[in-house]
Amino acid sequence: MAFFYSEPSHTFSEYLLVPGYSSAECIPSNVSLKTPLTRFRKGEEEPAISMNIPMVSAIMQSVSGADMAVALAKEGGISFLYGAQTPEDEAAMVKAVKDTKAGFVKSDSNLSPESTLQDVLNLKARTDHSTVAVTEDGTPTGKLVGIVTSRDYRISRMEKSVKVKEFMTPLDKLVIGKDGCTLSEANDIIWANKVNALPIVDDNGRLVSFVFRKDYEQHKSNPNELLDAHKRYVVGAGINTRDYAERVPKLLDAGVDVLCVDSSEGFSEFQGRTIKYVKENFGPDVKVGGGNVVDRDGFRYLAEAGADFIKIGIGGGSICITRETKGIGRGQATSVIEVAEARNEYFKETGIYIPICSDGGIVYDYHMTLALAMGADFMMLGRYFARFDESPSRKLNINGTYVKEYWGEGSNRARNWQRYDDGEGSKLKFEEGVDSYVPYAGPLKDNVQLTLAKVKATMCNCGALSIPELQEKAKLTLVSATSIVEGGAHDVILKDKGNGTAYQG
């Protein structure tokens, strides 16, 4: 006879946080949202990778592209680039993120003195970079002879055939830095000489890299930005349980910081095999997350397989219909609570802490605070990020309302059959996701900062200034259907903010 759980599973909307004592220090500006991404041993100062905010973007075609990765890293989180593309294309996307931000940037816009203005325009159209290095042989590491910026030419007054050597800023008029200088020293040179780009050259005059003023300014306006040891944005990537032997090496060569197995269900031999392959072939320094699971047994299986973090949730995503089509899943709140207990038990037994990620079931901003209070170290979000300018999907106007397209990886549109571990076939037999729209919400930065302001304020209501403290102090209560109604606006006539008319609430 089948095993029956004695209690029903619950969703986030069935819980509320009960306020705790708040001292005068409990103000949002004092709250830290730093959280671990990867496993670490008791006694270690910090894990190999931590985040400054507890948010990662989902491994979805309609969510996580290069623009999303850069925007989220600026705020302190990580994007997991979607894996439903060729290994080469995904690796190129990783490289694009890594090349977007660096203290010392390898030049990828290069021409020779014999090139033409038309070549400059073509290169700018392809790379969207306004600074072009001019080297003797036109290579990124050739002997530097000058640079070209948009201030060096006027399209309306010059022939497209004029050669670069005729209008470039020559080497003897450039401010340059020497290879071996620190980033701080390079920035001092930039500010002292009022230049926007500083070429770095070696003792033989060969170009090594650039340092840009805009990178310094961007860092000052994004104090939480998440950077690697080389001052590049941190980025993750999704892998599947089928072509990992081909995909993983390409992603690592491109500079990816962390991998995550993208699978409909993680408690499987296929996923254990994938994680073990990564660890055995590339070593413990290559970080890979697993999932998704919904109970203690699933967590334990992936923990012992070597997962560096574990995702929780099946069927709770807004575009997921796994529960409808297969009858598989569990309420997200109950799943997080049980897996968090399993994580804590594992830590006591082994001294190894494995961060857990709540993936799915987030409808309102306060659900994120609930997920953290229940034990999640961070959340993976799809619908939330799909609404923003930086998501890869199209922005449309439907009946006067701006929306963005949003589709599940289990939909026919995604054609991502590789994430389904049925061990056979090369196509979807049936859909587990839908094709939909979400309301357009504008830029990521504004929305994330508003959401996190709510999270911090709620943490202060609980007397907590960090996520671990929230998990220690939080008091949670189940609510009845009637009290859910009570919690919103009711028994009043609400004003329509748009035109002044009213509607019954």
Side-chain angles (χ1 to χ4, degrees):
M1 184 176 178
F3 173 81
F4 287 87
Y5 287 92
S6 58
E7 295 291 332
S9 63
H10 297 284
T11 67
F12 292 131
S13 289
E14 296 176 79
Y15 285 90
L16 286 175
L17 283 157
V18 176
Y21 171 74
S22 300
S23 70
E25 293 183 350
C26 283
I27 56 175
S29 60
N30 288 339
V31 173
S32 168
L33 293 177
K34 189 168 184 177
T35 193
L37 178 75
T38 57
R39 67 162 64 198
F40 60 93
R41 287 189 173 275
K42 185 176 183 179
E44 291 181 349
E45 290 187 9
E46 58 182 28
I49 305 176
S50 293
M51 298 186 293
N52 293 324
I53 63 172
M55 303 170 82
V56 301
S57 67
I59 309 169
M60 300 176 69
Q61 298 168 31
S62 56
V63 178
S64 296
D67 291 343
M68 178 63 68
V70 170
L72 186 51
K74 286 181 180 178
E75 299 307 309
I78 296 176
S79 282
F80 283 87
L81 302 172
Y82 65 89
Q85 55 183 322
T86 67
E88 293 77 13
D89 287 346
E90 189 177 13
M93 197 175 282
V94 170
K95 186 177 184 303
V97 176
K98 286 299 184 181
D99 288 347
T100 300
K101 169 74 181 187
F104 295 92
V105 182
K106 297 294 184 182
S107 178
D108 64 356
S109 294
N110 310 281
L111 292 171
S112 75
E114 298 300 317
S115 302
T116 65
L117 175 58
Q118 185 63 61
D119 293 326
V120 173
L121 299 177
N122 293 342
L123 186 61
K124 184 177 179 182
R126 188 170 72 250
T127 65
D128 199 32
H129 295 163
S130 58
T131 299
V132 177
V134 185
T135 58
E136 284 186 345
D137 56 4
T139 67
T141 56
K143 190 169 183 179
L144 185 69
V145 295
I147 64 170
V148 172
T149 70
S150 56
R151 291 179 297 182
D152 291 314
Y153 58 86
R154 294 186 68 178
I155 300 174
S156 61
R157 297 189 180 185
M158 295 170 63
E159 294 291 331
K160 303 278 179 58
S161 60
V162 65
K163 292 187 175 181
V164 166
K165 63 184 179 183
E166 301 295 332
F167 60 88
M168 70 180 186
T169 301
L171 181 63
D172 59 6
K173 292 186 179 179
L174 292 177
V175 177
I176 62 172
K178 286 293 185 179
D179 189 24
C181 71
T182 66
L183 183 59
S184 178
E185 290 168 342
N187 281 320
D188 286 344
I189 295 171
I190 287 173
W191 285 94
N193 292 275
K194 300 180 180 179
V195 294
N196 292 323
L198 181 70
I200 305 296
V201 299
D202 64 17
D203 292 338
N204 297 316
R206 301 180 72 85
L207 180 63
V208 176
S209 60
F210 275 98
V211 177
F212 293 99
R213 175 193 290 261
K214 65 181 178 63
D215 287 346
Y216 176 85
E217 294 172 341
Q218 286 177 0
H219 177 69
K220 290 301 181 183
S221 63
N222 298 293
N224 279 331
E225 65 182 356
L226 201 60
L227 306 176
D228 65 17
H230 303 289
K231 306 298 182 182
R232 303 174 301 180
Y233 289 124
V234 174
V235 62
I239 61 175
N240 62 68
T241 60
R242 297 175 185 261
D243 69 2
Y244 51 84
E246 176 189 2
R247 187 176 297 267
V248 171
K250 290 181 170 61
L251 295 174
L252 294 176
D253 286 345
V256 75
D257 295 280
V258 58
L259 304 168
C260 183
V261 183
D262 178 27
S263 177
S264 61
E265 204 274 305
F267 194 3
S268 75
E269 181 180 350
F270 300 103
Q271 187 151 154
R273 200 184 289 168
T274 303
I275 294 170
K276 288 175 182 176
Y277 170 86
V278 173
K279 294 297 181 180
E280 289 171 0
N281 286 272
F282 301 101
D285 289 341
V286 174
K287 306 303 180 184
V288 56
N292 287 16
V293 300
V294 294
D295 64 3
R296 177 178 279 97
D297 293 339
F299 170 87
R300 175 71 65 155
Y301 174 76
L302 292 179
E304 292 175 351
D308 288 292
F309 65 87
I310 294 172
K311 293 197 297 150
I312 308 162
I314 295 176
S318 61
I319 41 69
C320 184
I321 55 173
T322 296
R323 296 181 192 176
E324 294 178 30
T325 58
K326 295 168 67 177
I328 294 289
R330 200 178 193 193
Q332 188 68 7
T334 299
S335 299
V336 171
I337 292 168
E338 180 171 325
V339 174
E341 290 173 348
R343 185 265 321 278
N344 294 342
E345 292 167 2
Y346 190 81
F347 180 56
K348 289 179 182 178
E349 291 176 23
T350 67
I352 298 172
Y353 186 92
I354 301 178
I356 57 176
C357 167
S358 178
D359 178 17
I362 301 291
V363 181
Y364 304 107
D365 287 351
Y366 82 90
H367 287 173
M368 299 185 199
T369 319
L370 285 171
L372 296 172
M374 290 172 180
D377 295 283
F378 57 98
M379 291 80 60
M380 178 172 277
L381 304 162
R383 181 194 61 85
Y384 178 86
F385 287 117
R387 305 171 301 145
F388 302 151
D389 288 322
E390 294 83 358
S391 72
S393 65
R394 293 184 300 169
K395 175 183 171 184
L396 306 172
N397 187 319
I398 298 180
N399 298 326
T401 300
Y402 283 104
V403 297
K404 294 208 76 176
E405 294 178 302
Y406 181 45
W407 60 93
E409 291 301 291
S411 68
N412 282 328
R413 178 172 182 175
R415 308 179 73 86
N416 189 4
W417 60 270
Q418 291 176 311
R419 74 191 301 268
Y420 294 90
D421 300 326
D422 59 7
E424 56 186 48
S426 59
K427 63 180 180 179
L428 291 177
K429 297 179 177 65
F430 53 87
E431 289 187 291
E432 292 188 44
V434 300
D435 195 346
S436 63
Y437 303 111
V438 289
Y440 168 67
L444 177 145
K445 185 180 184 69
D446 295 344
N447 285 278
V448 165
Q449 290 186 355
L450 175 60
T451 293
L452 295 181
K454 296 177 186 178
V455 171
K456 289 181 177 182
T458 306
M459 289 172 63
C460 287
N461 292 143
C462 297
L465 293 176
S466 68
I467 293 172
E469 190 176 12
L470 173 67
Q471 293 167 350
E472 179 185 345
K473 292 184 175 180
K475 294 182 289 184
L476 292 153
T477 181
L478 276 167
V479 296
S480 67
T482 304
S483 65
I484 292 174
V485 174
E486 179 188 61
H490 60 91
D491 302 319
V492 295
I493 298 174
L494 298 179
K495 296 179 180 179
D496 186 331
K497 296 179 181 179
N499 55 26
T501 60
Y503 63 94
Q504 183 69 45

